[in-house]
Amino acid sequence: MLFNSTIFLFIFLPLTLALYFGCQRLFRGASTGKFLLLVASVVFYGFWNPRHVPLLLGSIALNFALGRHLQTNRNYRHAVLLTGLAANVGLLAYFKYKAFAVENLDALFGWQFPVPPVVLPLALSFFTFQQIAYLVDCYRGRLSHYALLDYAVVVSFFPHLIAGPIIQYRDVIPQFESSKSRAFQLAHFNQGLYLLAIGLAKKLLLADTLSYWAVKGFDDLPSVPFAHAWLASLSYTLQLYFDFSGYSDMAIGLALMFNIRLPTNFHSPYKALTIQDFWRRWHITLSHFLRDYLYVPLGGSQGSNGKTYCNVLIVFLVGGLWHGAGWNFLFWGLLHGLAMVTYLSWSRYGRPLPGWLAWFLTFQFVNFAWVFFRASTWADAMKMLRGMAGLSGFILPGALERFAALLKPLSVTRFGNFFTPFYGTYLSYYTISLALAVGLLLVLAAENSNDLRSRFTPRPRTALYTGFLLFSSLMIIEAQTHVAKFLYFNF
């Protein structure tokens, strides 16, 4: 089930809210409401593929049992932790990386093993990392003793189940127990609806619109000229931002409707002046997870510079591979790891850059690296980079067609006709340029959702703004022939 679908917005969400707070009024204690939320979350998850529900529930039961042993039994704790980590990573490897491993082993050794067709269970990467954090925190003695219902409802809580944010149990479980959280709070509902409207608008009005040009450049065209390559790469850069930040806004807003506060996952990452600043702003909860459960155990920055740089590269390689089973994701992680190492070295020995130059270099690197993140194959990535470098020719807007003849002598023979007019065969140069300009303006100049949420007040102007965003989004939903899923559902 998708947040941007009519069945979720008009049936699932209102019904779940009504039953949850209705049960809280009828029955004392929080157990009934938590059980209802658990059932609703399982229905939400199973709506996508019911066959994967036992996998989710089995994973929850196993990790809870292992965590309870780590909390209550002093024997074999290290072995139990390793068993839990192996089980979680093994589950992830089986579904997400088995086909990738077989394919590469076949290519390396000339074997003929068939590549197994595996359907990746929805949210596997997220709830696996979520439960790894639980086991490690139990081993470190950082968590209190929770009931199975508490653990299950937090892991499966539908606002964050599919694509985060990754949460800390000690921050969320007490919220379900609070008597204030169990009563309907109009202020929280209004604030949640406001964030839901913003997130829907980001997804439907911006991300899905920009996706058209990204698909054309990355997937449809065998060769991408200079301007179109840059327009396609920037379209994807903004599409991914609005798609994932929109999802995070909706997740936080939906949780607020149930009086649950989830952690911030985005904070204007494209305003970052360094690559380190970017990762403090982009997918914040994943960055915190990799820092706390991988980078610090590896030794962090406590050793020599060489050891620190090695730890950084390992973290980013794992982060790249977590996003997808492919060399392009691994290379994307390597690029960011090398960029981080370069930044750390520069910060030690180099001179500070002017703010505008630091932002430009950071943004252009991020845009460049997203090419490998988005490309389906290595060849597609090279196609885009050739186009961005101008090695696939230049196509001019129709208004400059008359200058094509003057520029033709400048063409390089091996590139063929380097300058050719553009007649608008698959997109409007001006429309996409305007869309990108609006997107960049919103990203760089507009207030982010965190700031808007912190000073939210229910007044007529805010109500009109929320209503306009909801109405516009619903009109698009009604006009769609199919509901577009979120990009991070692929990971």
Side-chain angles (χ1 to χ4, degrees):
M1 197 178 301
L2 297 168
F3 293 165
N4 54 321
S5 64
T6 53
I7 190 171
F8 176 84
L9 293 171
F10 294 108
I11 298 177
F12 178 85
L13 180 59
L15 185 61
T16 303
L17 283 168
L19 290 175
Y20 177 72
F21 288 112
C23 287
Q24 303 282 23
R25 289 178 62 88
L26 292 174
F27 303 98
R28 291 185 177 182
S31 297
T32 304
K34 286 186 288 190
F35 179 76
L36 188 145
L37 268 186
L38 175 62
V39 173
S41 297
V42 170
V43 171
F44 173 84
Y45 183 79
F47 190 86
W48 190 270
N49 191 336
R51 291 180 297 176
H52 291 152
V53 169
L55 180 68
L56 172 65
L57 297 179
S59 176
I60 289 173
L62 174 63
N63 281 282
F64 176 79
L66 293 173
R68 177 54 61 91
H69 178 92
L70 291 171
Q71 289 179 312
T72 60
N73 197 318
R74 308 301 299 179
N75 299 322
Y76 309 110
R77 295 180 74 250
H78 191 65
V80 170
L81 175 63
L82 291 178
T83 300
L85 296 178
N88 283 285
V89 174
L91 184 68
L92 193 60
Y94 176 81
F95 282 101
K96 194 166 185 176
Y97 304 109
K98 182 173 72 170
F100 176 65
V102 172
E103 181 181 348
N104 282 278
L105 289 173
D106 285 352
L108 184 61
F109 297 106
W111 297 342
Q112 300 297 322
F113 292 114
V115 178
V118 177
V119 178
L120 181 66
L122 193 64
L124 179 63
S125 296
F126 282 92
F127 71 70
T128 298
F129 269 27
Q130 188 72 64
Q131 297 189 101
I132 287 175
Y134 173 74
L135 292 179
V136 174
D137 284 349
C138 286
Y139 180 81
R140 293 172 174 173
R142 294 181 176 178
L143 294 179
S144 303
H145 294 279
Y146 300 124
L148 175 59
L149 180 60
D150 293 324
Y151 178 72
V153 75
V154 170
V155 173
S156 64
F157 188 38
F158 71 88
H160 83 98
L161 171 62
I162 308 301
I166 300 171
I167 61 174
Q168 294 289 334
Y169 296 89
R170 57 182 175 270
D171 295 333
V172 175
I173 288 180
Q175 296 185 54
F176 284 103
E177 297 292 337
S178 171
S179 58
K180 292 183 178 179
S181 296
R182 299 200 300 271
F184 179 77
Q185 302 284 340
L186 182 60
H188 288 168
F189 179 83
N190 289 336
Q191 192 176 12
L193 186 64
Y194 179 63
L195 288 175
L196 177 64
I198 292 174
L200 279 172
K202 285 182 179 180
K203 167 64 175 171
L204 296 165
L205 301 179
L206 296 168
D208 289 353
T209 300
L210 292 164
S211 69
Y212 173 80
W213 296 300
V215 168
K216 285 294 182 181
F218 280 92
D219 300 331
D220 293 352
L221 297 177
S223 179
V224 189
F226 179 79
H228 298 91
W230 277 98
L231 293 174
S233 67
L234 288 171
S235 292
Y236 180 72
T237 293
L238 293 180
Q239 177 200 356
L240 183 61
Y241 176 90
F242 288 122
D243 190 281
F244 195 26
S245 65
Y247 180 94
S248 297
D249 289 342
M250 284 185 264
I252 293 173
L254 290 167
L256 268 176
M257 293 182 181
F258 293 90
N259 301 319
I260 303 299
R261 293 188 176 274
L262 298 181
T264 298
N265 215 22
F266 273 82
H267 193 76
S268 300
Y270 289 167
K271 294 179 182 178
L273 301 185
T274 67
I275 195 63
Q276 185 181 63
D277 190 28
F278 172 81
W279 280 106
R280 288 172 175 169
R281 294 166 174 263
W282 177 278
H283 206 342
I284 297 170
T285 58
L286 176 62
S287 297
H288 288 174
F289 175 92
L290 292 173
R291 179 197 65 196
D292 296 340
Y293 299 99
L294 184 57
Y295 181 68
V296 171
L298 286 172
S301 58
Q302 299 303 309
S304 64
N305 289 346
K307 177 62 175 177
T308 298
Y309 298 158
C310 183
N311 292 339
V312 168
L313 289 175
I314 291 173
V315 167
F316 277 98
L317 286 172
V318 170
L321 200 58
W322 176 84
H323 281 87
W327 289 108
N328 54 323
F329 290 107
L330 200 61
F331 187 68
W332 171 80
L334 176 63
L335 284 175
H336 274 273
L338 292 173
M340 184 67 78
V341 168
T342 302
Y343 165 74
L344 293 175
S345 299
W346 183 270
S347 63
R348 289 176 183 269
Y349 308 111
R351 298 176 59 184
L353 297 176
W356 66 269
L357 181 59
W359 171 83
F360 180 80
L361 292 175
T362 302
F363 181 77
Q364 289 304 327
F365 167 78
V366 169
N367 181 63
F368 163 78
W370 284 141
V371 170
F372 295 94
F373 192 87
R374 169 60 176 80
S376 301
T377 64
W378 189 266
D380 285 338
M382 293 300 103
K383 175 192 72 175
M384 287 296 300
L385 293 180
R386 282 195 300 270
M388 293 169 70
L391 300 181
S392 297
F394 292 79
I395 290 182
L396 302 178
L400 300 179
E401 176 186 350
R402 62 183 180 273
F403 295 108
L406 298 175
L407 295 171
K408 187 174 181 180
L410 299 176
S411 63
V412 180
T413 303
R414 68 188 182 95
F415 293 134
N417 191 12
F418 207 61
F419 292 97
T420 55
F422 168 59
Y423 296 100
T425 53
Y426 76 90
L427 59 83
S428 166
Y429 180 91
Y430 301 106
T431 303
I432 183 175
S433 299
L434 179 62
L436 288 174
V438 171
L440 284 170
L441 184 65
L442 290 173
V443 164
L444 299 176
E447 289 186 280
N448 61 50
S449 303
N450 307 315
D451 296 331
L452 293 172
R453 177 180 52 170
S454 65
R455 59 181 186 81
F456 171 83
T457 53
R459 50 188 176 183
R461 186 174 65 181
T462 306
L464 287 174
Y465 177 66
T466 304
F468 171 75
L469 293 180
L470 287 173
F471 177 79
S472 302
S473 299
L474 292 175
M475 290 300 99
I476 292 179
I477 292 175
E478 287 297 317
Q480 288 178 332
T481 56
H482 71 282
V483 182
K485 67 178 183 179
F486 294 87
L487 293 176
Y488 260 72
F489 280 25
N490 300 320
F491 311 134

